[in-house]
Amino acid sequence: MCLIIHAGKNQPIPEFIINSAKERNRDGWGVVWFANGKLHMKKSLLMDKLNPALAKVEAYERIIHLRMNTHGLTSLDNCHPFRVGDGLYFMHNGMMSEFDMVKGDMSDTAQFVSSILNPLAREIDPSTLLSAYWFRNMLEKYAGLGQKFALMDSEGRVHRSGTGWIKHESGVFLSNSYAWSDPKKSYVSTSYYGGGNARYLGPAKSADIEV
């Protein structure tokens, strides 16, 4: 069910985390980072582009998502991050069953963003949302015990919602312990699951988006 990684400025992410996560989450990736006073985003269905892309942004605070499809199409449109509004991006780890199959081609996360977050950002300046207590509290209520959210805004602020985030000894934060493996541990799972109503229709017209 995907993986989110949050790393600070000049904070390397151990290579074994990225490489093992790619084996378990093969349905696309995305990264958001703040550099030179501007928010940047890149996402792709091409897993071999992930490591080179991350190497270019190691100097900056960033949030990274690797997707394992459980709902909707395996497509660039369903890759994280999702644009909430100008200068605000959203990532999700978990399964939101209440948003499953509202629109069959969309993932549960895409439906949540479209139904809940995008309308808010049309009414309220997205650059102010992460500083608003009511918005952060709303995210925590949606996250509950089973979801993890990560957002970055146009000021470079990062917000993580949900319980059970793991702080790795390297200093990076991870949204779970099952979507990657540590070589120091004797048991390593290589399972890959594309369950739910996941469907693959081949790559989108473009396999990359960068802004």
Side-chain angles (χ1 to χ4, degrees), residues 64-83:
I64 301 139
H65 187 278
L66 292 91
R67 184 179 184 226
M68 182 177 70
N69 184 2
T70 56
H71 298 88
L73 299 180
T74 299
S75 67
L76 199 56
D77 287 341
N78 283 331
C79 278
H80 306 225
F82 291 90
R83 181 181 176 273

Side-chain angles (χ1 to χ4, degrees), residues 6 15 38 54 64 86 109 118 132-133 143 155 169 177 191 195:
H6 175 203
E15 189 173 1
K38 183 180 177 182
L54 294 184
I64 301 139
D86 288 342
T109 309
N118 289 155
Y133 171 78
E155 299 296 321
E169 60 187 20
S177 61
S191 61

Side-chain angles (χ1 to χ4, degrees), residues 141-196:
K141 289 182 177 179
Y142 272 109
L145 297 176
Q147 318 296 327
K148 308 286 196 313
F149 303 147
L151 300 91
M152 182 178 276
D153 70 8
S154 57
E155 299 296 321
R157 293 174 294 200
V158 173
H159 177 71
R160 299 189 308 269
S161 295
T163 61
W165 284 86
I166 298 166
K167 187 174 184 180
H168 187 259
E169 60 187 20
S170 63
V172 304
F173 286 90
L174 304 160
S175 61
N176 64 64
S177 61
Y178 53 78
W180 58 281
S181 62
D182 188 334
K184 295 178 182 178
K185 297 181 179 179
S186 58
Y187 173 74
V188 177
S189 170
T190 57
S191 61
Y192 170 75
Y193 171 68

